[in-house]
Amino acid sequence: AQIGRLEHATLKGGALVPMHLHQNEEILSYLRKGTMRHEDSHGIKVPIHNKYLMMMNAGSGIQHEESVHEGDETVEMLQIFIRPEADDLKPDIQFLELEDAYSLNQWRLIAGHKRSKAPLCFRSEVQFYDLRLGENHTVTTPELQGLTGFMYLFDGSVELTDRDEVLQKGDSLLIKDEQIELKGSEKSDIVFFVLNESAPYTRNGLYTK
């Protein structure tokens, strides 16, 4: 579907990913720990962290590099690669300053297609939510209305109360035509994608073939 790649990455102090090209992919840098320095071919140099996120709509091409300063806290993040609806769209870079690093026990829409009115825009039929679920708190997965849901547990441990099943850090779950109740076995950070698998998307990205 539209998720080309989901990279749960850690970058230690002194790490450098030198200047490289992205094309035909929408890349959301979703940091939870640490600060990563971004520099790109648009002349932008900026630190991103858990309250300042970045979306690169690579389109026809953007070069960028990322680094973590020597001595800085290790970065833990999701690098989310989404397949766009078409090739060679105009390159763009978006930033989002969050009021709070975490959305406690409530789904928060971070990014989505234009109609979703999300603060960051994917040029693809995708919506991306996040949530910090407290221990012993319960929440239901977002409504899908005929679409496909994909959940990823960034950190913690969550019980699927209807299924008598437990998800641990790094586990994922694909759901269709249902909503699932989640209960935090401990403090847990969760992300959730809503995907329209029948909408068009391209597989011509450098990292999302």
Side-chain angles (χ1 to χ4, degrees):
Q2 284 92 348
I3 300 176
R5 190 169 162 188
L6 195 61
E7 221 170 72
H8 192 146
T10 52
L11 291 170
K12 293 185 175 166
L16 170 68
V17 182
M19 198 65 78
H20 58 283
L21 178 67
H22 287 283
Q23 276 179 325
N24 298 324
E25 50 218 358
E26 314 273 289
I27 305 148
L28 175 60
S29 297
Y30 177 79
L31 275 77
R32 294 292 81 191
K33 291 177 186 164
T35 297
M36 184 173 79
R37 316 275 160 177
H38 161 88
E39 185 173 343
D40 62 52
S41 48
H42 286 202
I44 295 170
K45 293 183 184 181
V46 70
I48 51 180
H49 47 78
N50 64 9
K51 287 180 77 174
Y52 197 67
L53 307 181
M54 178 183 72
M55 169 95 77
M56 278 197 302
N57 310 97
S60 56
I62 288 180
Q63 300 254 5
H64 87 125
E65 78 172 38
E66 47 211 1
S67 60
V68 181
H69 282 185
E70 195 73 58
D72 277 5
E73 180 187 7
T74 297
V75 165
E76 187 175 4
M77 66 181 295
L78 280 182
Q79 196 83 293
I80 298 160
F81 294 80
I82 296 294
R83 297 177 174 129
E85 61 199 7
D87 287 336
D88 297 329
L89 298 168
K90 187 181 174 187
D92 190 23
I93 296 189
Q94 307 168 58
F95 296 94
L96 173 62
E97 189 162 1
L98 297 170
E99 207 171 300
D100 301 295
Y102 301 99
S103 177
L104 299 177
N105 304 317
Q106 196 171 343
W107 293 109
R108 171 174 62 179
L109 181 62
I110 294 270
H113 50 70
K114 249 189 197 128
R115 298 184 319 284
S116 74
K117 297 193 164 75
L120 291 173
C121 184
F122 284 126
R123 297 178 297 190
S124 190
E125 289 290 313
V126 178
Q127 294 167 76
F128 172 78
Y129 296 85
D130 75 342
L131 162 82
R132 169 164 275 189
L133 188 59
E135 186 177 357
N136 293 324
H137 281 264
T138 57
V139 71
T140 305
T141 54
E143 275 187 48
L144 293 175
Q145 296 170 327
L147 301 178
T148 300
F150 178 78
M151 188 175 98
Y152 180 81
L153 191 56
F154 186 89
D155 203 9
S157 174
V158 167
E159 185 187 340
L160 312 181
T161 52
D162 311 333
R163 299 186 179 189
D164 200 22
E165 201 180 313
V166 175
L167 295 186
Q168 307 286 355
K169 177 175 181 169
D171 286 345
S172 60
L173 180 69
L174 190 68
I175 59 174
K176 296 190 183 197
D177 304 322
E178 62 178 322
Q179 287 182 279
I180 291 176
E181 189 179 76
L182 312 170
K183 183 178 181 182
S185 307
E186 59 183 301
K187 182 176 67 183
S188 301
D189 291 318
I190 310 169
V191 300
F192 194 91
F193 298 84
V194 177
L195 311 165
N196 181 350
E197 293 184 280
S198 62
Y201 57 85
T202 173
R203 286 181 175 270
N204 293 326
L206 293 181
Y207 295 86
T208 55
K209 293 194 181 301

